[in-house]
Amino acid sequence: MESIVSTRWLLARMYESELVIVDCRFVLSDPEAGRIAYTADHIPGAIYLHLEEQLSAPVGSHGGRHPLPDVTELAQVFSKVGMNKDSIVVAYDDQGGAYASRLWWLMRYLGHERIYVMDEGYSAWKNAKFPVSDHQAVRIPSQFVADIQYEMVVGVEDVQEVVRNGGPLIIDSREHRRYLGLEEPIDAKAGHIPGAVNKFWKDVLDEQGRWKKADPLKEQFADIEQDQEVIVYCGSGVTACPNVLALTRAGYKNVKLYAGSWSDWISYGENPVAAGEE
């Protein structure tokens, strides 16, 4: 299933009744920046969903910096903004697709297949002189029924098992220097999960910031067997999602998200930490 749509595709369909456009802009260092940007202007009809308020659960002692939201509460959020089984949902951000991919992953986790990420992001839309608005759409609530795909996610015990006994390939989606343990700007410990290989999430985009098509992605992931079970993580389970999307686009069928990611892994003192190249 294709998961990326172009700005022109969205422009042609933006007033269709079953379409729900979601603005997912967010800046980690300034959690209000995305909402402020949305209030200033956005794609007409778009609603805003906030990474930390709606697309994550409150932070606890475990679960990482952006724990998965409670699925019942998330289904209520989707219902409230007018989503149902017939909705065609298009998510966008202005951060390379990182936060739009989080919504893409969450909706698929809740069993909704008709979810797409807009290529290039909001700046490209605006630079193309496509319409923008500061009007905040009022959506009529609907009934979103979740059908949880439990096999899409793994927890810390599953990853501990892989570290002990092997099996699935673990992919670290963070910048190479963070993977190596040379720097750690956010989390309490530097390094990576032992045995993990590094595939920086931004490498799924080309030089123009567009998502790579299936063939270049297949080439990029050529060192991974197509039938290999893969577990993807990042710092907090957000920027792993573009890698999950890209692997899916390249034809990988058995890709799972370690939702708590590095920030969850290091919250257990007994978990081993590796540094340097594997």
Side-chain angles (χ1 to χ4, degrees):
M1 185 191 78
E2 190 45 86
S3 296
I4 306 295
V5 296
S6 69
T7 52
R8 289 193 173 280
W9 185 96
L10 182 57
L11 181 70
R13 291 166 180 79
M14 59 190 286
Y15 297 111
E16 290 179 4
S17 58
E18 67 270 37
L19 189 74
V20 183
I21 306 171
V22 185
D23 188 317
C24 298
R25 283 179 284 174
F26 189 80
V27 179
L28 272 180
S29 57
D30 182 2
E32 279 310 293
R35 186 162 26 219
I36 290 166
Y38 167 80
T39 306
D41 55 64
H42 48 261
I43 295 176
I47 51 109
Y48 183 74
L49 291 180
H50 191 284
L51 172 69
E52 292 179 348
E53 291 171 18
Q54 287 132 327
L55 305 181
S56 305
V59 176
S61 49
H62 299 298
R65 285 182 280 109
H66 295 108
L68 282 190
D70 175 85
V71 289
T72 308
E73 287 175 18
L74 188 59
Q76 286 168 351
V77 167
F78 293 160
S79 297
K80 202 171 160 185
V81 298
M83 293 183 193
N84 58 45
K85 65 176 174 50
D86 298 321
S87 298
I88 297 169
V89 184
V90 178
Y92 71 88
D93 58 33
D94 220 6
Q95 286 77 33
Y99 303 104
S101 296
R102 166 77 162 203
L103 181 64
W104 172 87
W105 188 90
L106 285 170
M107 294 207 75
R108 284 171 58 97
Y109 179 55
L110 266 60
H112 192 81
E113 292 282 323
R114 302 173 85 187
I115 164 72
Y116 306 93
V117 171
M118 185 183 85
D119 205 358
E120 298 179 273
Y122 186 66
S123 289
W125 175 278
K126 211 171 163 176
N127 293 340
K129 303 285 190 284
F130 292 166
V132 301
S133 172
D134 61 0
H135 174 71
Q136 299 196 21
V138 177
R139 302 272 318 164
I140 298 163
S142 189
Q143 189 65 44
F144 184 93
V145 180
D147 175 19
I148 315 300
Q149 308 295 303
Y150 293 103
E151 74 286 351
M152 284 176 59
V153 69
V154 299
V156 67
E157 300 86 357
D158 304 293
V159 181
Q160 287 166 336
E161 174 69 18
V162 175
V163 169
R164 279 195 300 269
N165 299 314
L169 174 72
I170 304 176
I171 291 178
D172 183 315
S173 305
R174 299 170 302 159
E175 296 95 331
H176 196 54
R177 287 181 65 79
R178 286 180 74 189
Y179 167 82
L180 293 174
L182 296 175
E183 60 183 51
E184 183 43 70
I186 305 170
D187 292 309
K189 285 183 190 172
H192 61 262
I193 296 172
V197 300
N198 186 220
K199 301 273 185 191
F200 183 33
W201 74 271
K202 282 192 177 170
D203 292 340
V204 306
L205 307 173
D206 66 17
E207 290 76 21
Q208 286 76 43
R210 295 190 187 99
W211 286 80
K212 290 177 184 171
K213 299 274 194 282
D215 286 341
L217 287 170
K218 278 178 188 155
E219 224 167 277
Q220 188 168 314
F221 296 126
D223 55 336
I224 305 169
E225 296 289 334
Q226 277 276 344
D227 56 357
Q228 166 83 58
E229 184 181 333
V230 180
I231 294 170
V232 188
Y233 80 93
C234 57
S236 70
V238 176
T239 57
C241 295
N243 261 344
V244 175
L245 194 160
L247 283 158
T248 306
R249 197 175 202 198
Y252 292 83
K253 300 276 190 285
N254 199 357
V255 184
K256 300 173 182 187
L257 177 70
Y258 172 25
S261 285
W262 181 247
S263 49
D264 176 59
W265 181 257
I266 59 171
S267 71
Y268 297 88
E270 71 276 15
N271 279 345
V273 165
E277 293 288 3
E278 286 286 341

